[in-house]
Amino acid sequence: MLAALRNATTEVWDHRDLLEQLALRDIKLRYKQAAMGFMWAVFMPCLIVLSGLIIRYAMARIAGQTLVRTDIANIAVKGVGWAFFVGALGFATSSLIGNANLVTKIYFPREVLPLSAVIAQSFDTGIGLVTLCVILPFLGVTLHPSMLWVPILLALLVLFTTAASLFLSCANLFFRDVKYIVQIVLMFGIFFTPVFFEPFMLGARGAHLAMLNPLTGILEGLRLSIVSGHNLVHPLSTLVHGAVTPVWEPWELAYSAVWAGAGTVGATVMFRRLQPLFAEYI
């Protein structure tokens, strides 16, 4: 397993120029003759935030409460992270099939195809993050020492997305209905991932179930460290209908890190071992 992982890392590094060119090609294709240009990079996060605000407004009306600026900031921070995950997975899943002419004719580490999709989506998310940094001060967010957690959380998000991209692009090559399953899961996945809501709103049992989603620790960590200024080393709880309900548990971060690290290693080894069969099944 270590040998497969080492070979994959070495070959991808040796072909980093190809990876760069494929990522640039994907970025150019997205914006070629696009009427909105780079506005597409912020369109998806804005759509997620708008959808979340409608749901949160309805929930607040039923509970007799009002929306505050931090509610918008919470959804905006998690919306950018969710948009990156969905966008990268959407393009990466079909990256091997979409480049069948390259896969069947010349040799290169096939990992660069899903990786280039993740890098291209990172470019879009970078524009979204810059826009978010401009907006957040108007939503009452100030600088906190807890923001030092943000680079770690973003690294975990990229790592977990890369693992899922490698696994699903490989699975889609052997089972062509995988891309349709991914589309459905991503469409409804936002209701199983705390983007529009916070896990503690589900009660103690619901919060613990929501924490089993590896993305929960990353997205909630981003929300708490950026908007609430909470140090992720310390647990946080609140009262919901008189019961103590967890808002954050430090093990969530370790749980997400294990999924991201082990997932990347496992997906890379699987991808490497199945790679010789790609040309036959494509």
Side-chain angles (χ1 to χ4, degrees):
M1 187 176 74
L2 289 177
L5 190 62
R6 185 173 57 248
N7 290 338
T9 306
T10 304
E11 286 198 18
V12 169
W13 176 253
D14 291 341
H15 289 79
R16 58 187 181 279
D17 291 338
L18 174 62
L19 178 61
E20 180 184 345
Q21 291 304 315
L22 287 171
L24 287 173
R25 182 202 63 177
D26 290 345
I27 293 170
K28 288 177 181 176
L29 284 176
R30 290 185 190 192
Y31 296 109
K32 186 178 181 181
Q33 295 181 329
M36 290 174 59
F38 290 117
M39 286 301 294
W40 279 110
V42 294
F43 179 71
M44 175 67 87
C46 287
L47 201 59
I48 292 173
V49 172
L50 183 61
S51 304
L53 283 179
I54 293 172
I55 293 175
R56 289 292 285 267
Y57 176 73
M59 293 166 64
R61 288 273 295 177
I62 293 172
Q65 300 172 344
T66 56
L67 278 178
V68 294
R69 289 188 300 171
T70 51
D71 291 330
I72 303 173
N74 288 339
I75 299 173
V77 168
K78 293 190 287 186
V80 171
W82 176 254
F84 168 74
F85 180 74
V86 171
L89 233 57
F91 285 104
T93 300
S94 56
S95 59
L96 291 175
I97 300 297
N99 291 281
N101 55 335
L102 291 176
V103 174
T104 55
K105 290 181 180 175
I106 58 174
Y107 178 77
F108 63 94
R110 281 24 174 185
E111 290 92 342
V112 299
L113 293 171
L115 288 179
S116 67
V118 175
I119 293 173
Q121 188 61 37
S122 300
F123 176 80
D124 284 4
T125 303
I127 297 174
L129 285 174
V130 171
T131 308
L132 189 65
C133 290
V134 173
I135 292 173
L136 283 180
F138 297 99
L139 298 175
V141 177
T142 55
L143 289 174
H144 304 285
S146 58
M147 288 182 178
L148 293 173
W149 285 102
V150 172
I152 298 173
L153 293 163
L154 290 179
L156 289 180
L157 179 61
V158 171
L159 208 58
F160 181 70
T161 305
T162 301
S165 299
L166 286 170
F167 175 78
L168 291 173
S169 62
C170 185
N172 185 56
L173 187 141
F174 294 101
F175 307 100
R176 302 300 168 88
D177 49 354
V178 167
K179 67 179 179 182
Y180 302 115
I181 297 172
V182 170
Q183 289 172 1
I184 294 171
V185 170
L186 292 180
M187 183 185 300
F188 293 103
I190 198 168
F191 298 107
F192 299 96
T193 306
V195 179
F196 295 160
F197 58 89
E198 275 72 71
F200 71 85
M201 294 178 177
L202 303 174
R205 181 176 295 179
H208 282 116
L209 288 174
M211 289 172 183
L212 295 178
N213 182 341
L215 281 174
T216 298
I218 298 172
L219 298 181
E220 280 297 297
L222 285 171
R223 176 184 76 83
L224 290 169
S225 60
I226 295 174
V227 182
S228 302
H230 178 70
N231 187 343
L232 301 184
V233 172
H234 304 297
L236 184 66
S237 59
T238 187
L239 286 177
V240 177
H241 300 302
V244 177
T245 306
V247 176
W248 172 258
E249 298 283 357
W251 64 260
E252 288 183 66
L253 193 61
Y255 179 74
S256 298
V258 168
W259 268 93
T264 302
V265 172
T268 303
V269 172
M270 183 202 71
F271 195 101
R272 173 78 17 178
R273 290 183 176 175
L274 292 175
Q275 190 172 250
L277 301 175
F278 286 179
E280 180 182 347
Y281 280 85
I282 203 164

